[in-house]
Amino acid sequence: MKAIEFAKPGIENIKIVDKSPEGEGIKVKIIKAGLNPLDYNLIAGNVVYNVNPMPHIPGSEVMGIAMEDGKHIHKGDRVIVYNRIFDNSCDMCYSGNEHLCYNGGLWGVMTNGGYSEYINIGEQNLFRVPEAIDDNTAVSIGIGALTSYRALKRARPNVNDKILVYGAGNTGIFTVQIARHMGLDVYVYSRNKDLESLGIHVLDSIPEDFSADIIINPLGGKLFGDSIKHLRRRGKIITYGILTGRMADLDIANVYTNELEIIGSTGGTRKDLSELLGILDKSNFRLPVYKEYSLWDIKDALYAFKDRVNGRIVLNL
């Protein structure tokens, strides 16, 4: 089979190679792959994780067709990959938090990923895609949608809570739509005015007196300290990213005198993913696509990644 591989970081080091599918499990023919910040930073050498093995096949977000039967997955099923590696033997796994497994990590980072014609993967990491979900949305569920859903669950929202979401990238677009599905009053800080057609309030600046019950801020850096000022008393801020930096200045007195909650969230569990697929099966969610490329033109896609305007980049096989 053909696969994308690099032996050292850098877009210029990407090569198309011939390899045999590795590992055990169900064989899956890859149909589409997502290009997200994790993949981009992995290839560029900007990740904080240990990449293994080297040379490495990237790709943590894929959908495809099962080529054989398992216990629950059947030949011909459209499937997506739950991209967490876990050992099922630690207290995190026992408690249903396998995404936090002490001996685990990200599929496609600590293992070879899915930028290839075929993969072999254990059935515990495969989920069937409902017919109502189109391919381009399906390929975005394993990271973008799951991250968004888990963050909202961690916020423990009440119907009609006012929520402010920072940014309208892949996760942001899923976040605002899932939040609206949950019955929340949704605002997003973004230049993407297209979201207004979904019934979302779009802010290109945040008024000083604006306040919300929940804030989702995956951008990190200076914006984190600024955003927490817009929380109401006993409000919650959820973070799952550091796009503008790892460090933030906080007014600690503001946190304790107003009993604010700062909540971290990462990825999601298989239970989360199962619940999410049920929601998406019954909801007409929309995820704009900026451009589609052949997987074998991945260098062009990577160079375009940072310059995209709205929507995501999808790789086709």
Side-chain angles (χ1 to χ4, degrees):
M1 70 170 188
K2 290 197 297 182
I4 297 297
E5 187 179 76
F6 63 94
K8 59 181 180 179
I11 296 174
E12 68 280 4
N13 297 317
I14 285 284
K15 294 181 180 179
I16 301 172
V17 299
D18 287 311
K19 299 197 78 153
S20 298
E22 300 175 352
E24 300 178 352
I26 292 177
K27 185 176 184 179
V28 176
K29 177 180 173 60
I30 302 301
I31 303 298
K32 286 182 178 282
L35 178 57
N36 57 61
L38 171 61
D39 302 309
Y40 180 88
N41 289 319
L42 177 77
I43 293 167
N46 298 329
V47 298
V48 294
Y49 318 103
N50 292 323
V51 180
N52 186 64
M54 289 295 280
H56 190 77
I57 299 173
S60 292
E61 192 178 43
V62 298
M63 67 83 56
I65 305 295
M67 303 301 290
E68 52 198 6
D69 290 332
K71 290 182 179 179
H72 307 289
I73 298 296
H74 302 293
K75 183 177 180 180
D77 283 346
R78 285 192 308 153
V79 293
I80 57 173
V81 171
Y82 174 68
N83 75 329
R84 294 284 173 154
I85 304 299
F86 52 97
D87 63 11
N88 270 329
S89 64
C90 69
D91 63 322
M92 288 293 106
C93 292
Y94 290 154
S95 64
N97 292 293
E98 64 274 9
H99 67 308
L100 299 176
C101 176
Y102 296 112
N103 299 309
L106 291 166
W107 179 78
V109 178
M110 69 176 293
T111 67
N112 279 325
Y115 284 176
S116 58
E117 292 181 297
Y118 296 92
I119 60 171
N120 293 329
I121 190 163
E123 190 173 9
Q124 73 273 6
N125 284 84
L126 289 178
F127 281 73
R128 186 183 300 108
V129 179
E131 289 185 10
I133 301 175
D134 67 87
D135 288 353
N136 282 342
T137 301
V139 76
S140 305
I141 293 172
I143 293 181
L146 181 58
T147 299
S148 302
Y149 180 62
R150 175 75 178 184
L152 285 165
K153 279 186 66 175
R154 296 270 289 151
R156 309 182 306 280
N158 297 308
V159 173
N160 295 324
D161 272 356
K162 188 175 181 181
I163 183 172
L164 172 62
V165 179
Y166 275 68
N170 187 17
T171 54
I173 289 172
F174 273 118
T175 301
V176 297
Q177 292 180 88
I178 296 170
R180 193 166 69 97
H181 173 83
M182 290 177 168
L184 307 187
D185 183 17
V186 186
Y187 291 76
V188 59
Y189 178 38
S190 171
R191 292 172 294 178
N192 184 359
K193 294 295 184 181
D194 292 343
L195 293 173
E196 291 178 341
S197 65
L198 301 176
I200 308 300
H201 308 289
V202 180
L203 304 175
D204 52 18
S205 63
I206 303 175
E208 280 294 319
D209 60 351
F210 183 93
S211 62
D213 301 291
I214 299 167
I215 290 177
I216 306 281
N217 186 344
L219 303 181
K222 182 176 184 294
L223 285 173
F224 190 84
D226 289 341
S227 64
I228 204 169
K229 298 173 185 176
H230 294 290
L231 274 182
R232 292 174 176 166
R233 286 195 165 182
R234 309 209 78 203
K236 305 157 194 167
I237 185 167
I238 296 87
T239 177
Y240 53 78
I242 53 171
L243 187 63
T244 63
R246 299 170 63 95
M247 308 305 291
D249 290 326
L250 294 178
D251 179 352
I252 296 173
N254 177 43
V255 174
Y256 70 73
T257 57
N258 289 296
E259 292 196 348
L260 306 181
E261 293 185 52
I262 300 174
I263 301 171
S265 185
T266 183
T269 68
R270 288 177 296 168
K271 183 175 184 292
D272 293 332
L273 182 51
S274 179
E275 293 170 353
L276 175 62
L277 286 167
I279 292 171
L280 296 177
D281 185 29
K282 296 176 175 61
S283 307
N284 185 26
F285 284 17
R286 179 164 59 87
L287 182 68
V289 173
Y290 173 62
K291 276 188 181 179
E292 297 189 46
Y293 291 85
S294 165
L295 176 61
W296 317 121
D297 294 325
I298 189 171
K299 285 186 179 180
D300 292 337
L302 287 162
Y303 286 126
F305 180 78
K306 281 201 162 183
D307 296 325
R308 72 196 189 285
V309 183
N310 292 323
R312 70 165 324 187
I313 289 176
V314 173
L315 305 168
N316 299 313
L317 281 89

